[in-house]
Amino acid sequence: MQTSQAFNINSAKPRLHPKGIMEFLWWSFGLLLFAHLISTYLLVEHGIYIKRFDFNHERNFPTFFATFQLAFAGILLWHSFKAATSKSFSVTWKLLSFVFLFLAFDEFFQIHDQLGARVSDVKIQTSSWVAPYMAGLAGLSVIGVPWFFNLPLKTRWAFFISGTIFVTGAAGVEIVGDILKTNFGFQHLYYRLAITVEESCEFIGLTLFIKALLDYYFSQKDELSLPWVDVDCRPPIETSKPGEAPL
């Protein structure tokens, strides 16, 4: 990693440490999961549906958080490409960045659900988007094989584990959930638990992926400059004010 001195905290833009970002992501997920479980209990036991915190509803707090995670991962992928010492796989980095930014757009506007509603399979409509998206993932995996094995071993394992968790929820548990919904109904506990596991896998997978991207980036650089904030892995130092002894 490139070495440099500690940063000056008296900077115009706010500065964050990567650890602070991860704490924000984990706490946000935990609070959203707690609110979702409360809303699930109220729906199953009392028929009260609180859409604002339901993992399975659109345009609510969980959707906004997932959109933020996907968009942030896309931004980190772009900056990781610029930070990489080798530019041999710049196209792959850029492609992955574009894919995650598209997924953020998809998450917010629910394009995959609209695609599912137009497929003629009326038994499991909402999971009908899985086939084209999995085909895209398979094609992207083939293209990305050389890039993947060029990554450091620690990064490869982190990407693999986070990706496996995310895809398990987004595709595998999604299909199981749709079957449970068809057989038991929207308010049944089995379906609600499946939704909880599915979306939790996606949130956890994305959080671990962001952690892996931050670790990779800061193995190459000391500072990540974003339009609204700087992220720095170096310890802060304060500059002394006039008349004070240097710190």
Side-chain angles (χ1 to χ4, degrees):
M1 183 178 72
Q2 295 180 0
T3 59
S4 60
Q5 297 179 356
F7 68 81
N8 184 349
I9 64 173
N10 298 319
S11 177
K13 277 198 295 185
R15 286 183 179 267
L16 296 175
H17 192 275
K19 183 180 178 181
I21 294 177
M22 296 312 304
E23 289 177 351
F24 166 75
L25 293 175
W26 285 120
W27 273 105
S28 297
F29 166 65
L31 291 173
L32 288 173
L33 177 61
F34 177 75
H36 167 75
L37 291 174
I38 294 297
S39 68
T40 295
Y41 168 78
L42 292 174
L43 177 62
V44 172
E45 295 295 330
H46 303 286
I48 302 173
Y49 186 31
I50 304 177
K51 299 178 180 179
R52 187 168 295 179
F53 298 107
D54 182 32
F55 279 4
N56 197 42
H57 195 70
E58 304 172 8
R59 306 290 181 86
N60 59 5
F61 289 122
T63 301
F64 296 151
F65 181 60
T67 301
F68 167 77
Q69 283 187 302
L70 289 163
F72 188 48
I75 293 171
L76 288 177
L77 283 163
W78 181 264
H79 283 276
S80 295
F81 139 68
K82 295 196 293 184
T85 54
S86 173
K87 302 302 181 184
S88 303
F89 299 98
S90 60
V91 174
T92 308
W93 282 110
K94 293 177 183 178
L95 178 61
L96 287 170
S97 176
F98 170 80
V99 167
F100 272 82
L101 291 174
F102 167 77
L103 289 176
F105 182 84
D106 178 11
E107 179 68 23
F108 187 79
F109 292 101
Q110 298 295 308
I111 297 174
H112 60 282
D113 285 342
Q114 296 176 33
L115 176 64
R118 287 173 170 78
V119 178
S120 59
D121 184 359
V122 296
K123 282 190 174 182
I124 310 178
Q125 283 187 339
T126 55
S127 64
S128 56
W129 63 268
V130 171
Y133 275 60
M134 287 299 100
L137 176 62
L140 188 63
S141 300
V142 172
I143 296 173
V145 166
W147 163 83
F148 180 77
F149 283 101
N150 188 62
L151 294 170
L153 180 62
K154 178 182 176 181
T155 305
R156 289 205 304 267
W157 272 109
F159 282 8
F160 175 77
I161 292 171
S162 61
T164 300
I165 294 173
F166 180 85
V167 173
T168 298
V173 185
E174 166 95 8
I175 295 175
V176 174
D178 289 332
I179 295 173
L180 293 173
K181 181 180 179 181
T182 301
N183 292 329
F184 296 101
F186 177 79
Q187 290 186 224
H188 198 277
L189 179 62
Y190 291 166
Y191 174 66
R192 304 307 303 174
L193 290 177
I195 287 297
T196 303
V197 173
E198 172 198 335
E199 299 296 334
S200 295
C201 284
E202 294 183 23
F203 285 133
I204 292 171
L206 281 172
T207 302
L208 292 176
F209 185 58
I210 289 172
K211 172 67 164 59
L213 285 171
L214 287 170
D215 287 345
Y216 175 80
Y217 180 89
F218 286 111
S219 70
Q220 312 292 325
K221 300 285 186 180
D222 285 323
E223 183 179 6
L224 171 62
S225 182
L226 299 173
W228 62 92
V229 69
D230 289 332
V231 184
D232 205 309
C233 65
R234 296 167 292 179
I237 57 170
E238 294 188 17
T239 57
S240 58
K241 297 178 181 179
E244 293 182 351
L247 297 176

